[in-house]
Amino acid sequence: MTSHTIPHADDFRAGRELSLDHRKLGMWLFLASEVMFFGGLVGTFLHYKATLPTPEAALLDTVLVGLNTFVLITSSLMVVLGLDAIQRGRRRGLITFLGLTALLGAIFLGGQVFEFISLAGHGVTLQSSVFGSSFYTLTGFHGLHVLIGVIWALVTLMKAARGTYTAQEHAGVEAFGLYWHFVDVVWIVLFTIIYLI
Amino acid sequence: MKERTLLVVVLVTALLVVAGIWVAQNVNLMPAEASTRAALVDQLFRAMLGLAAVIFLLVEGLLLFSVLRFRQPRGDDGDALPVHGNRALEIVWTLIPALIVIVIGFYSFRVLAASEIREENPLVVNVRSRQFAWTFEYPGTSVISSDLHLPVGRQVRFLITSDDVIHSFWVPEFRVKRDATPGQMAELLVTPTREGTYPVRCAELCGVGHAAMGLSSRVIVESDEAFQAWLTQAAALPADPIEAGRTLFKRYGCPACHALADAGAAGVVGPALDSLADPNGPHAHAHGGMDIRALVEQSVLDPSAAIAPGFADGLMPKDFGTRIPANELAILVDYLVAQK
Amino acid sequence: MTTATPALSPRRYFGWSTDHKVIGVQYLVTSFFFFLVGGAMAGMIRTQLLAPDSTLVSAEAFNRLSTNHGSVMLFLWILPVLAGLGNYLVPLQIGARDMAFPRLNALSFWLLVPAGLLMLASFFVGAAEAGWTAYVPLSISGPDGQTLWALSVILLGTSSMMGSINFVTTIFTMRAEGLTFWRLPLFSWSMLATSILVLTATPVLTAGLALIAMDRLVGTLFFSVPAGGDPILWQNLFWFYSHPAVYIMVLPAMGAISEIFPVFARKPVFGYRMIAVSSLAISLLGLTVWAHHMFTSGMDPRLRVPYMISTMIIAVPTGVKIFSWLATIWGGKIRLDTPMLFALGFISMFLIGGITGVFLAAIPVDLHVHDTYFVVAHLHFVLFGGSVSGAYAALYYWYPKITGRRFDERLGKVHFAANFIGTNLAYLPMFLAGLLGMPRRVVNYDPRFTELNQLASLGAFLLAVSVLPLLYNMIVSWVNGPKAGDNPWRARTLEWQGSSPPPVHNFDQPPVVTEGPYDYGEAEARSMMPSPAAAGD
């Protein structure tokens, strides 16, 4: 039984019999609401995909984006390895893997920017058609989440460098990990519905 | 004691049932019943009203009775006898309401299905809506009208759409409405059963003229002969140019937004159109040296070119140029300019 | 014994604080301000409608008033007043020193303030005028205020979601020793059910509002009809949130009522578990009914019947609550203090809202009454007769807890009488107007509805006046009211076991709970281990 300190709240833990950490539960709840948010956007995209002709879809570069998807999945693996490292008390390992996570996230974003520019070159923009609007909005909101994740990874990295996390106390890393895996899973869903089906 | 309780329960139940039946049979909260659908809906509504009365009286009765009967005596600080629940009672008041709503659901489904049965040879009417007027087109004829004429006893198949935002076509006496959604065509089946004149309402907020749009058009349900006579007469334009102009003014829905004494129009969304040509009249400012005829024509075809003071741009549809044939436009403009 | 007396300096309510009690009061006071603003808008609307062809208010101004009346009342009054009650009470009811995330809690409140001001400020650039439902394409073309409206509602939704994460986490992880879920007070149960619903439904509205905002700001084409945009899509996104929103707004009020009945009938809650579970049932069912708002919009005809059935089924858990409350007061020792009067008023008026909800669910009836004054009457019976009555009941009930003072009972009863008569007078005639053919949101109407509208306006004016004794009572009693003592209603839930008002840290020692919250008439033993703070007086 680990005990965490937050202001005013020590000793007030009925959750201990459920072994729930309040930060992790809060993160799960936040992610649940994020699922519904992306659900709304995905629903919009699918609705228009089903009801309107989308000639622009032929312009999508599935190979490039497939590689990008691989990059993002690899970055999730880095988070797992980083968490594993700190659980064994290896701070250096955590720092290395967080750095790799941020780097892979940045590569993904770079790929996305490249894709956007090339599509815009073919005349597909936010204002060109309903497909353009929903494509950029959906992938753009996801990209925004990746960007926030990269920043978060770097903040976590700096905290790790300052020695905030130990083998016993690393809920902050776990919370970041949950978020990053979520962003990854959302992308796999988006990749499937936008590029594969 | 036990028997007395049972007796009271039976008596109260009987009273409630009698009250419910009385309400269902005697309380009428609806306007005139003017379609086959209206008759079906009203039957359902009255049945639900009877049930609602029973539940309402039961709950409010129990509430009042408890408040009057179970009061804490003055000076008594103690608690009442603890009762935490009663499994049988809880099952009863879960199951009975469930049963009631299932019955209502089933009945509603039956009414819905019955009111949407297609009949042979319906009269098709295209309902077009825009900010802020209804126009009714009778395919196969050249008739376009702002009032809806229907023959009694024949099913009408409305095809409803909108040119701009969402409106909702509602005739309370028919007990039905259907949204007019831009880019979509909605179908609605109604069989009028009662001759008379009823209002057409707009039930979906559509902008500043929303209320006016619900007060400007009427349904006239009439005998088949009267309907056919109207159709013939409406297809032709009167020979007299003033009468023809007045007809066009109404046909294209102008009264919904503009006031014009000669046409009995009182719209307030756009400027009043009386005395257009009077150099000292309310429109004198607009002339600006321009020929009044040209100005009126321009205002119909391109409403944004000159905006009357006190009115916003963008309220008037910009597509009249494509909808009004040139000869009719000339008649309409002549008519407007001739108004004193 | 040491007593942590609270620093009652009024100043602590005017700035950043992470104390849930301060935040709770901040929510209550702020939302009440917006209630008065929304009420003033209603007053102008009802004055305009005194005559069928009145020109007191232009059509444009009328649409702006009705749009913002609805938005302010829902998003800036009912939601935050209930969030304020939850903030103040949940930690006290479960024996926690604060919420799980105190800073996030303060942030939720401080998002509310700029969001509310943003909505009001929109009147300077042409306020939203497409109805609180903001149906597209009308809401795409309106004035700039429509964009501010969308951004404001996004912020308010975010605030509401942050609060909900806090409530769920707090209730799951911070309950005191021995406070199992089957001993959780019913108000906290209702906050749990509500918060789950908020987290599920609100993000979908946020997504939809983001699409509207982007259409208006960057020229995307989501709702552009010529480009193929679908107006019905918005209705789905909107109602997926906005129907559950009704339950979000009524469940906490029901929770408060469930606290009040046992105290003022001196009897245990009848069917405690059924009431608790029915809150969850309403939450889950509430997510499956949204399209009943779209029976007239040309949805797939085959989908209509399932939505009708699921909507009607919600009447069942709602009925369970009502009958359980009736059974709670049956055979009790009832005292008709102001909180109890409002609780009884809640049942009698919410019942009308509930029954007419079944009428609206029945498709053939809905096709007639949808978008008419029948709906206006129904939703006001649910939200004003229901939610607001519940909020009033809660305010009076927990007033001694929050302030340590007693309010003036006579003024409370005057408020109740005016509110009860005013509500029925204002909204009952609207049912008839709607059935007879009066659409909602109209600035002028057919003269045949004149008398009904004048009655409704009269009721509305009475409601406006009824707020005065409430305001006077709340302010003057806080300053001058007699000391209430720690537990003036002799309630048994945990929040009443300490001093009133509570000390800064709520409980100096963790309380231990050994029995249920409503064991009236059971063994006279104290239900909780007294904490040192409780021995303050």
Side-chain angles (χ1 to χ4, degrees):
Chain A
M1 178 51 225
T2 56
S3 78
H4 310 297
T5 49
I6 63 156
H8 320 319
D10 32 346
D11 301 330
F12 286 76
R13 282 277 119 83
R16 65 194 138 207
E17 76 257 26
L18 300 165
S19 69
L20 272 174
D21 180 276
H22 67 286
R23 283 165 294 189
K24 269 202 269 180
L25 178 58
M27 196 65 209
W28 276 111
L29 293 168
F30 168 68
L31 294 180
S33 72
E34 287 273 85
V35 167
M36 295 309 293
F37 176 78
F38 276 102
L41 295 181
V42 165
T44 302
F45 182 89
L46 284 177
H47 174 71
Y48 284 136
K49 189 178 170 118
T51 54
L52 295 175
T54 53
E56 304 95 324
L59 298 167
L60 297 176
D61 187 342
T62 309
V63 176
L64 171 82
V65 181
L67 279 174
N68 224 8
T69 307
F70 180 71
V71 167
L72 203 59
I73 294 173
T74 312
S75 74
S76 251
L77 181 65
M78 296 302 122
V79 177
V80 173
L81 293 174
L83 190 60
D84 182 64
I86 193 66
Q87 275 165 350
R88 294 158 191 265
R90 293 187 200 140
R91 193 151 63 92
R92 284 208 85 80
L94 172 64
I95 293 172
T96 312
F97 285 119
L98 280 175
L100 283 171
T101 305
L103 180 68
L104 290 170
I107 292 174
F108 175 86
L109 284 175
Q112 198 169 34
V113 169
F114 177 80
E115 185 201 17
F116 282 9
I117 291 172
S118 91
L119 276 176
H122 287 100
V124 183
T125 66
L126 265 175
Q127 297 92 358
S128 65
S129 66
V130 173
F131 176 83
S133 297
S134 46
F135 170 81
Y136 284 108
T137 302
L138 189 49
T139 53
F141 266 111
H142 178 265
L144 194 66
H145 280 74
V146 176
L147 181 65
I148 290 168
V150 169
I151 294 169
W152 192 352
L154 294 175
V155 170
T156 314
L157 188 150
M158 286 197 307
K159 280 185 166 176
R162 267 191 267 129
T164 310
Y165 306 115
T166 63
Q168 288 75 38
E169 166 51 57
H170 47 259
V173 182
E174 285 184 84
F176 164 71
L178 282 176
Y179 175 81
W180 192 263
H181 294 320
F182 163 79
V183 170
D184 194 5
V185 169
V186 168
W187 180 254
I188 292 170
V189 173
L190 298 194
F191 180 64
T192 310
I193 62 163
I194 299 176
Y195 298 88
L196 298 185
I197 60 171
Chain B
M1 189 62 199
K2 195 86 182 159
E3 271 171 29
R4 222 187 96 198
T5 312
L6 197 67
L7 189 69
V8 170
V9 169
V10 169
L11 253 176
V12 168
T13 310
L15 270 177
L16 285 172
V17 170
V18 170
I21 292 173
W22 185 86
V23 166
Q25 291 189 329
N26 292 291
V27 176
N28 180 22
L29 305 175
M30 291 285 201
E33 226 169 62
S35 72
T36 49
R37 188 194 278 264
L40 290 165
V41 171
D42 286 5
Q43 266 180 20
L44 170 66
F45 181 80
R46 279 195 292 265
M48 290 183 70
L49 201 62
L51 274 169
V54 171
I55 294 166
F56 179 81
L57 291 174
L58 175 70
V59 173
E60 305 284 3
L62 285 171
L63 199 69
L64 265 180
F65 179 81
S66 303
V67 167
L68 295 176
R69 172 79 180 69
F70 304 115
R71 292 290 273 280
Q72 184 156 50
R74 209 170 270 282
D76 176 0
D77 262 1
D79 292 345
L81 281 180
V83 180
H84 286 274
N86 180 322
R87 183 68 55 83
L89 213 49
E90 287 170 46
I91 290 173
V92 165
W93 69 48
T94 308
L95 282 187
I96 291 185
L99 210 67
I100 291 178
V101 296
I102 287 169
V103 169
I104 294 176
F106 186 71
Y107 189 5
S108 300
F109 174 71
R110 291 277 303 270
V111 168
L112 184 68
S115 59
E116 290 179 349
I117 294 172
R118 276 166 203 287
E119 291 168 22
E120 294 275 299
N121 187 29
L123 171 73
V124 177
V125 178
N126 295 334
V127 179
R128 288 186 63 177
S129 55
R130 65 192 148 74
Q131 291 170 322
F132 299 97
W134 300 104
T135 36
F136 304 99
E137 302 169 356
Y138 294 77
T141 75
S142 62
V143 175
I144 304 172
S145 170
S146 63
D147 280 336
L148 173 62
H149 286 253
L150 298 175
V152 71
R154 178 174 169 196
Q155 188 172 59
V156 189
R157 181 165 174 251
F158 293 108
L159 296 173
I160 304 166
T161 190
S162 165
D163 292 351
D164 39 46
V165 301
I166 302 177
H167 305 274
S168 190
F169 170 72
W170 179 33
V171 180
E173 280 75 4
F174 291 167
R175 301 289 187 277
V176 72
K177 67 173 65 66
R178 179 56 57 92
D179 289 2
T181 308
Q184 302 186 5
M185 184 67 76
E187 186 196 58
L188 177 65
L189 299 172
V190 174
T191 309
T193 53
R194 187 172 178 274
E195 289 182 33
T197 301
Y198 314 111
V200 176
R201 308 273 189 223
C202 176
E204 185 62 62
L205 177 63
C206 56
V208 291
H210 170 53
M213 191 167 171
L215 296 169
S216 57
S217 286
R218 301 169 304 163
V219 198
I220 296 120
V221 179
E222 54 205 353
S223 67
D224 193 44
E225 302 79 64
F227 171 72
Q228 294 301 342
W230 170 80
L231 209 56
T232 318
Q233 175 244 320
L237 272 183
D240 175 58
I242 291 295
E243 271 181 47
R246 193 185 299 132
T247 307
L248 291 171
F249 186 77
K250 291 180 181 171
R251 178 178 295 178
Y252 289 106
C254 311
C257 298
H258 296 280
L260 184 65
D262 180 70
V268 292
V269 176
L273 301 178
D274 293 299
S275 330
L276 280 179
D278 183 351
N280 303 314
H283 294 273
H285 61 274
H287 296 199
M290 197 168 172
D291 169 43
I292 183 61
R293 238 195 138 276
L295 177 71
V296 171
E297 189 172 304
Q298 172 193 284
S299 295
V300 175
L301 299 177
D302 180 13
S304 297
I307 302 297
F311 294 91
D313 188 13
L315 290 176
M316 181 154 157
K318 300 191 193 318
D319 62 346
F320 281 115
T322 59
R323 293 170 53 205
I324 309 182
N327 63 322
E328 293 190 357
L329 180 65
I331 297 172
L332 182 62
V333 171
D334 285 341
Y335 166 74
L336 288 172
V337 172
Q339 293 307 309
K340 290 291 175 285
Chain C
M1 269 183 217
T2 54
T3 308
T5 44
L8 250 184
S9 146
R11 215 192 284 158
R12 69 184 193 137
Y13 293 109
F14 287 97
W16 175 270
S17 166
T18 57
D19 182 336
H20 74 99
K21 299 183 291 301
V22 175
I23 296 171
V25 172
Q26 286 174 328
Y27 262 114
L28 296 180
V29 173
T30 309
S31 60
F32 200 86
F33 165 76
F34 285 114
F35 178 42
L36 296 179
V37 172
M41 293 177 186
M44 286 187 253
I45 291 170
R46 286 314 322 172
T47 311
Q48 161 71 16
L49 295 178
L50 275 171
D53 51 0
S54 163
T55 52
L56 188 75
V57 171
S58 73
E60 185 183 78
F62 184 90
N63 288 348
R64 293 177 179 181
L65 283 172
S66 57
T67 299
N68 286 278
H69 161 73
S71 308
V72 166
M73 288 302 202
L74 299 178
F75 295 121
L76 289 164
W77 156 238
I78 301 183
L79 281 180
V81 77
L82 299 173
L85 289 168
N87 252 299
Y88 198 96
L89 294 166
V90 166
L92 288 169
Q93 284 201 326
I94 67 171
R97 279 188 174 161
D98 206 315
M99 299 281 276
F101 307 106
R103 274 174 301 179
L104 184 70
N105 200 21
L107 193 60
S108 319
F109 170 73
W110 287 105
L111 264 187
L112 175 76
V113 178
L117 295 178
L118 193 62
M119 193 177 285
L120 296 189
S122 71
F123 273 90
F124 294 106
V125 292
E129 54 189 33
W132 84 280
T133 48
Y135 270 19
V136 297
L138 185 62
S139 59
I140 300 300
S141 59
D144 289 344
Q146 193 78 48
T147 311
L148 299 187
W149 177 89
L151 297 176
S152 169
V153 178
I154 288 178
L155 285 178
L156 293 166
T158 308
S159 157
S160 170
M161 285 188 276
M162 285 169 20
S164 296
I165 289 176
N166 228 334
F167 284 124
V168 176
T169 310
T170 306
I171 292 172
F172 264 96
T173 64
M174 298 182 70
R175 280 167 290 117
E177 196 73 51
L179 188 58
T180 61
F181 271 100
W182 290 133
R183 285 179 181 162
L184 191 62
L186 287 166
F187 178 74
S188 290
W189 257 114
S190 73
M191 286 309 295
L192 181 64
T194 301
S195 299
I196 292 172
L197 201 49
V198 168
L199 287 173
T200 322
T202 313
V204 178
L205 177 71
T206 308
L209 288 166
L211 302 186
I212 284 195
M214 286 176 58
D215 268 14
R216 297 182 56 96
L217 289 172
V218 296
T220 49
L221 301 167
F222 288 106
F223 302 120
S224 159
V225 174
D230 181 0
I232 307 292
L233 174 67
W234 162 252
Q235 297 176 21
N236 278 300
L237 294 170
F238 178 80
W239 288 115
F240 185 83
Y241 165 76
S242 295
H243 192 80
V246 177
Y247 305 115
I248 291 169
M249 287 181 269
V250 88
L251 280 173
M254 290 174 157
I257 302 303
S258 302
E259 298 286 344
I260 290 170
F261 281 128
V263 176
F264 292 88
R266 312 307 305 165
K267 251 188 86 201
V269 164
F270 191 98
Y272 164 87
R273 289 191 183 201
M274 286 290 269
I275 294 188
V277 168
S278 65
S279 292
L280 283 179
I282 290 174
S283 284
L284 297 179
L285 279 171
L287 287 168
T288 66
V289 303
W290 77 91
H292 68 223
H293 292 268
M294 295 155 59
F295 289 148
T296 66
S297 23
M299 60 190 289
D300 187 330
R302 288 161 302 179
L303 287 177
R304 292 179 303 182
V305 175
Y307 280 110
M308 168 171 79
I309 302 295
S310 59
T311 305
M312 288 183 173
I313 294 288
I314 288 201
V316 175
T318 312
V320 166
K321 279 184 191 285
I322 290 181
F323 288 118
S324 301
W325 290 327
L326 288 174
T328 301
I329 61 173
W330 183 272
K333 294 185 173 179
I334 296 174
R335 284 181 325 197
L336 290 180
D337 294 309
T338 306
M340 184 63 167
L341 287 174
F342 274 102
L344 293 166
F346 172 98
I347 296 193
S348 71
M349 293 186 284
F350 179 79
L351 176 71
I352 298 176
I355 290 177
T356 49
V358 179
F359 282 81
L360 284 162
I363 300 169
V365 179
D366 181 69
L367 295 182
H368 176 54
V369 292
H370 178 71
D371 267 332
T372 71
Y373 258 86
F374 189 91
V375 175
V376 178
H378 158 74
L379 73 92
H380 281 92
F381 265 103
V382 171
L383 291 175
F384 199 90
S387 302
V388 177
S389 286
Y392 283 156
L395 281 179
Y396 283 108
Y397 175 58
W398 281 294
Y399 186 81
K401 182 80 235 167
I402 296 172
T403 63
R405 307 274 181 164
R406 296 206 80 132
F407 55 84
D408 183 333
E409 190 57 46
R410 258 178 329 167
L411 280 176
K413 287 186 168 125
V414 169
H415 176 213
F416 168 74
N419 184 67
F420 187 79
I421 297 168
T423 307
N424 285 297
L425 189 57
Y427 305 125
L428 281 178
M430 292 182 185
F431 282 120
L432 196 52
L435 286 168
L436 289 175
M438 180 165 167
R440 67 192 289 197
R441 295 168 171 167
V442 286
V443 61
N444 298 123
Y445 54 88
D446 199 317
R448 74 175 78 165
F449 306 125
T450 307
E451 289 80 9
L452 291 172
N453 275 282
Q454 286 171 343
L455 279 178
S457 293
L458 200 64
F461 299 148
L462 183 56
L463 287 178
V465 175
S466 80
V467 175
L468 297 177
L470 171 71
L471 258 182
Y472 179 84
N473 204 354
M474 292 283 144
I475 294 169
V476 171
S477 302
W478 199 333
V479 181
N480 274 337
K483 290 260 191 287
D486 286 343
N487 191 359
W489 313 119
R490 295 185 295 123
R492 296 184 79 119
T493 37
L494 190 49
E495 81 271 22
W496 289 105
Q497 306 313 313
S499 61
S500 297
V504 173
H505 290 317
N506 294 355
F507 306 92
D508 284 351
Q509 299 226 324
V512 177
V513 178
T514 54
E515 55 189 66
Y518 309 110
D519 289 344
Y520 297 93
E522 303 285 8
E524 284 304 309
R526 286 294 300 265
S527 60
M528 325 292 169
M529 270 187 28
S531 64
D537 55 337

